[in-house]
Amino acid sequence: MFFQIVSIVFPIFGVIVVGYLYGRRRRPDMIATNQVNMDIFVPALIFSALVGRSFEFAEVRMIAIGGALIVLGSGLLGWPVARLAGCSPKTLLPPMMFKNAGNMGLPLLLLAFGDKVLPAAVILFLIESVMHFSIGTYWLGHNVNIWRLFRDPVFAAGTAGVLVSMSGVALWPPFMSAMKIIGDVSTGLMLFSLGVRLNTAPFAEWRIGAVGAIATPVTGMLVAWVFCVASGLSSAEKDVLLLFGALPPAVLNFMFAERYGQEPQKVASIVIMGNLAALVAISAALAIRLSS
């Protein structure tokens, strides 16, 4: 089991390490690269994944419900943790709720369980993104721009992919091949970019960072486990949700904290330390599922 877990986790963190080492030596400015990735490559990946399969919402309905409950449940469980840690709930709870479903979640679920879980992984990514841009934005800044959400390339690609798949329309195969080639760029680039960002991690706020690094996967997996037991899900659905619950905080949490002036240095420490500690949390989640 140990070697099976290592074989799943190593490629993810191997790419992150390469990004970290390159970033430490060259200090590249990844802003433009990340923008292109989120505007072009990730939407192409999501669109081609959804269009290339027969997509029925009924097939991923429980995954969608479970994902939403993991996000909300992590926030509820995190509230007393924030009080005990002596920090603002607006600082700790968003990183606990909104996970790294893009940079790490998509490639990790694909490597762990294969292409068959891609629709479920994409649905979780979309749900987490919608909740982050709506609930998260309103909570931090009391300002929700629904039109901006619909214009977001990732959300638009996911919506278009679902609609085309449900319509049964077959798109021109060369066009789909081009979408797949473009989309395949996104996975490695997301992980590489995360590694580069680790070089800018502020470790001064190590205490709150450690609290967030521990609380994020613990609360996420706990909510996922309770939902899986209560709902009688299939083994494959349990695999996806438990691993989703173990994911570390999304980098986007730091960007939102910086935008709204919500202790961005502390949030950055939570995000960075959470992603560093993800190797243990993800390995634990995989061990639980592989041993069951």
Side-chain angles (χ1 to χ4, degrees), residues 25-66:
R25 181 177 179 83
R26 298 293 186 181
R27 300 290 180 180
D29 186 352
M30 298 295 292
I31 295 177
T33 303
N34 291 336
Q35 189 67 46
V36 172
N37 199 19
M38 294 305 295
D39 287 348
I40 302 296
F41 301 137
V42 172
L45 172 70
I46 291 175
F47 181 78
S48 60
L50 292 175
V51 172
R53 296 177 178 275
S54 176
F55 183 86
E56 295 290 342
F57 182 74
E59 297 177 359
V60 293
R61 178 173 58 87
M62 296 306 294
I63 291 288
I65 295 173

Side-chain angles (χ1 to χ4, degrees), residues 248-267:
V251 177
L252 191 61
N253 287 291
F254 168 70
M255 300 177 184
F256 277 9
E258 196 168 45
R259 176 187 296 174
Y260 296 110
Q262 184 58 47
E263 299 184 297
Q265 296 289 18
K266 290 184 178 181
V267 174

Side-chain angles (χ1 to χ4, degrees), residues 72-272:
L72 297 175
S74 296
L76 291 176
L77 293 178
W79 201 280
V81 175
R83 294 303 186 190
L84 290 173
C87 70
S88 170
K90 288 187 177 182
T91 299
L92 180 61
L93 267 58
M96 290 179 59
M97 296 169 64
F98 305 115
K99 300 176 179 294
N100 200 345
N103 292 60
M104 191 174 292
L106 284 173
L108 178 63
L109 287 168
L110 287 175
L111 285 172
F113 306 120
D115 289 343
K116 64 180 182 295
V117 303
L118 190 52
V122 169
I123 285 297
L124 287 172
F125 181 37
L126 290 175
I127 286 176
E128 191 266 349
S129 297
V130 170
M131 297 181 76
H132 202 169
F133 277 95
S134 55
I135 297 175
T137 301
Y138 179 77
W139 192 24
L140 291 178
H142 298 287
N143 179 26
V144 179
N145 191 334
I146 299 298
W147 176 238
R148 181 180 178 184
L149 173 64
F150 281 100
R151 289 186 300 167
D152 182 78
V154 173
F155 185 82
T159 303
V162 170
L163 293 176
V164 172
S165 178
M166 294 178 66
S167 70
V169 175
L171 299 181
W172 190 38
F175 170 78
M176 291 306 303
S177 297
M179 287 292 100
K180 186 178 185 307
I181 292 173
I182 296 173
D184 286 344
V185 176
S186 65
T187 301
L189 189 56
M190 282 191 287
L191 296 173
F192 181 86
S193 176
L194 180 58
V196 172
R197 182 172 286 273
L198 291 179
N199 286 280
T200 63
F203 289 103
E205 303 288 353
W206 64 270
R207 181 175 174 272
I208 188 59
V211 170
I214 297 171
T216 299
V218 169
T219 56
M221 286 192 288
L222 178 60
V223 176
W225 179 78
V226 171
F227 177 75
C228 290
V229 171
S231 304
L233 301 182
S234 67
S235 178
E237 291 172 325
K238 292 177 181 178
D239 290 340
V240 171
L241 285 177
L242 192 64
L243 202 56
F244 176 72
L247 290 175
V251 177
L252 191 61
N253 287 291
F254 168 70
M255 300 177 184
F256 277 9
E258 196 168 45
R259 176 187 296 174
Y260 296 110
Q262 184 58 47
E263 299 184 297
Q265 296 289 18
K266 290 184 178 181
V267 174
S269 291
I270 296 171
V271 171
I272 297 301

Side-chain angles (χ1 to χ4, degrees), residues 1-13 104 108 112-113 213 217-218 221 239 242-248 274-292:
M1 182 186 298
F2 173 77
F3 290 106
Q4 189 174 357
I5 293 172
V6 171
S7 67
I8 293 171
V9 174
F10 178 79
I12 299 291
F13 288 92
M104 191 174 292
L108 178 63
F113 306 120
V218 169
M221 286 192 288
D239 290 340
L242 192 64
L243 202 56
F244 176 72
L247 290 175
N275 278 273
L276 290 175
L279 178 60
V280 176
I282 290 171
S283 298
L286 289 171
I288 292 172
R289 289 307 306 146
L290 292 174
S291 61
S292 60

